[in-house]
Amino acid sequence: MKVAVLGYGTVGVGVYEMLKAAKGLEAGPVLVRPGKENEAFKVSSIEKITEDPSVDAVAEVMGGVEPAFTYAMAAIRAGKHFVTSNKALVAAKGVELNRAAKEAGVSFLFSAACGGGVPFLHNLARAAQTDEILSVGGILNGTTNFMLDQMQSTGKDYAAALKEAQELGYAEADPTADVTGLDALRKIMLACAVAWGVLPQDGLLNEGIDSLSAADVKDFMARGRVCRLVASGQRAADGRISAYVEPVLVRAGDAESAVLKNYNMARYEGKNAGPIAMIGQGAGRYPTASAVLRDLSGICAGEAAMFPADCVDGSADNSAAKHAYYVRLPKACGDLFPAAEILADNGEELRILTEEISVQKMHESAAALRKAGHAVFFAAVREA
Ligand code: HSE
């Protein structure tokens, strides 16, 4: 199967290199920006790919919704299988792409868009066909996991840890989506759609680690806690789906605390299978490229889709989710949350442990405080 590649950045180079060595796959043209066609295999117009009858499949690793969506639809309508690592694209347009691919009789797979090299969505899609999936989630962003691990194990500050994650090729071109939790949110959106056939487009909540300081990390360590950015997706018995991302203070012995560097821990719970967790590199050139290649080889073996055929866009409802939270906030705003314990009070700032409160209230209150110019950090506290 001859594969054209859209994009020649960190992941694109990895995909092209792996294609040249892969059994049953052949490297085709690579789409680059006009003016960058400095080698024979590079082209700068999508038509050179969609109108090339020798190309069987297109692997998109450019990122962003446009022009990736326009190129994806052109490829699918031209009868090419379509594989992508692009979370933003699938989170925004996945239902439309799924429908178009089904109509055109081609495959649409996106393993690399959730979990990097971890074979999560492929296995989740298989499990969803025969088991009832109760929940999905885990550590789904390699950049922030790398940063949290570095801040904890070396005492690095936030800016130095981010710079290193960027240099290692883990972060998005603009790392805002990584550090604000949006990248992990897009991934949990995909997992929800694979598990339950509903791609939530609104009602979602994401809190990242962009308010975290080195002093917070020291404080967590002194309390025997480890901070991880965790995505949660759950379907209630009445069919409502909750989906959110937030920092969580796990216990030092919890599985997440052992997930280091750029690793992800993606998990689902099946009614019959019970809890399943998969750990592996969640970001980086070759881990991500390996997931793209796995999808391409899956197509050769007849794998057609990850979303159910009738997958629809829908909404998340986080109104029932509740946790106790660790909150750092100005003392003047201290009575906003019911405090179970005041952990520290330096006269200006408080660190409190709240009673169990609604996830929605926590996220919305933090956003309101920030809008009013206050510094806030919060993290859910895993039960002792
Ligand atoms: N920026 C993403 C991450 C890349 O750090 O997880 C893999 O999706």
Side-chain angles (χ1 to χ4, degrees):
M1 186 168 77
K2 188 165 175 179
V3 184
V5 183
L6 311 188
Y8 201 59
T10 302
V11 181
V13 170
V15 170
Y16 189 71
E17 291 303 317
M18 284 191 71
L19 274 173
K20 287 195 291 186
K23 280 197 198 109
L25 300 172
E26 190 188 336
V30 175
L31 184 74
V32 295
R33 289 207 187 90
K36 302 267 178 193
E37 321 88 316
N38 51 5
E39 287 171 278
F41 64 89
K42 295 179 184 168
V43 299
S44 63
S45 101
I46 187 70
E47 290 76 23
K48 288 227 168 91
I49 288 169
T50 53
E51 292 171 10
D52 180 344
S54 74
V55 170
D56 305 295
V58 169
E60 184 271 315
V61 290
M62 307 161 44
V65 178
E66 283 294 355
F69 176 61
T70 303
Y71 294 171
M73 289 302 269
I76 288 169
R77 286 181 181 138
K80 319 285 187 202
H81 301 296
F82 183 69
V83 168
T84 180
S85 63
N86 185 339
K87 296 89 38 147
L89 171 68
V90 184
K93 301 285 189 182
V95 167
E96 213 170 324
L97 291 170
N98 197 48
R99 202 177 298 131
K102 191 170 173 4
E103 277 166 20
V106 298
S107 299
F108 167 45
L109 304 177
F110 44 88
S111 275
C114 177
V118 181
F120 178 54
L121 292 184
H122 165 83
N123 284 290
L124 179 63
R126 295 287 296 272
Q129 285 169 12
T130 51
D131 201 352
E132 183 186 337
I133 307 299
L134 303 176
S135 66
V136 290
I139 297 171
L140 299 180
N141 182 267
T143 300
T144 47
N145 203 67
F146 177 84
M147 291 172 65
L148 291 166
D149 179 33
Q150 286 292 301
M151 287 173 80
Q152 170 156 347
S153 59
T154 69
K156 263 192 197 117
D157 70 13
Y158 176 93
L162 174 57
K163 188 162 174 278
E164 200 177 341
Q166 287 177 291
E167 284 165 2
L168 287 164
Y170 301 153
E172 299 300 297
D174 172 358
T176 310
D178 294 299
V179 296
T180 59
L182 179 59
D183 179 81
L185 186 75
R186 287 175 175 145
K187 291 167 176 167
I188 199 70
M189 290 162 70
L190 303 193
C192 289
V194 170
W196 302 307
V198 176
L199 182 59
Q201 294 290 339
D202 47 41
L204 300 152
L205 298 169
N206 63 296
E207 173 74 12
I209 62 161
D210 45 339
S211 306
L212 180 71
S213 67
D216 291 322
V217 174
K218 263 195 193 151
D219 190 41
F220 306 150
M221 285 168 73
R223 294 172 202 284
R225 294 284 177 154
V226 176
C227 186
R228 291 288 179 257
L229 187 64
V230 178
S232 304
Q234 198 151 9
R235 186 166 69 164
D238 62 7
R240 282 188 296 179
I241 292 170
S242 73
Y244 57 90
V245 173
E246 61 189 12
V248 177
L249 299 186
V250 302
R251 295 159 298 202
D254 289 345
E256 292 93 334
S257 72
V259 179
L260 306 177
K261 299 183 188 165
N262 60 328
Y263 278 59
N264 280 188
M265 188 185 87
R267 56 151 199 84
Y268 68 83
E269 182 169 357
K271 187 173 174 186
N272 296 290
I276 308 265
M278 295 169 220
I279 299 177
Q281 293 190 72
R285 168 171 290 168
Y286 288 107
T288 310
S290 76
V292 173
L293 270 281
R294 260 201 325 265
D295 279 354
L296 291 165
S297 125
I299 292 172
C300 296
E303 195 178 347
M306 288 176 155
F307 286 160
D310 57 356
C311 187
V312 291
D313 286 317
S315 298
D317 180 344
N318 289 312
S319 59
K322 282 183 181 177
H323 303 296
Y325 282 97
Y326 170 104
V327 189
R328 168 172 52 75
L329 78 174
K331 187 166 182 177
C333 311
D335 51 8
L336 248 182
F337 305 105
E341 194 182 338
I342 297 187
L343 302 170
D345 176 354
N346 68 6
E348 288 181 2
E349 206 170 50
L350 294 180
R351 291 170 190 268
I352 63 170
L353 183 64
T354 72
E355 305 276 3
E356 210 173 59
I357 58 173
S358 125
V359 169
Q360 198 156 335
K361 176 179 158 68
M362 184 65 245
H363 284 245
E364 288 173 359
S365 304
L369 283 170
R370 288 185 186 127
K371 210 168 168 195
H374 299 299
V376 183
F377 173 82
F378 71 86
V381 179
R382 179 74 54 81
E383 277 165 38

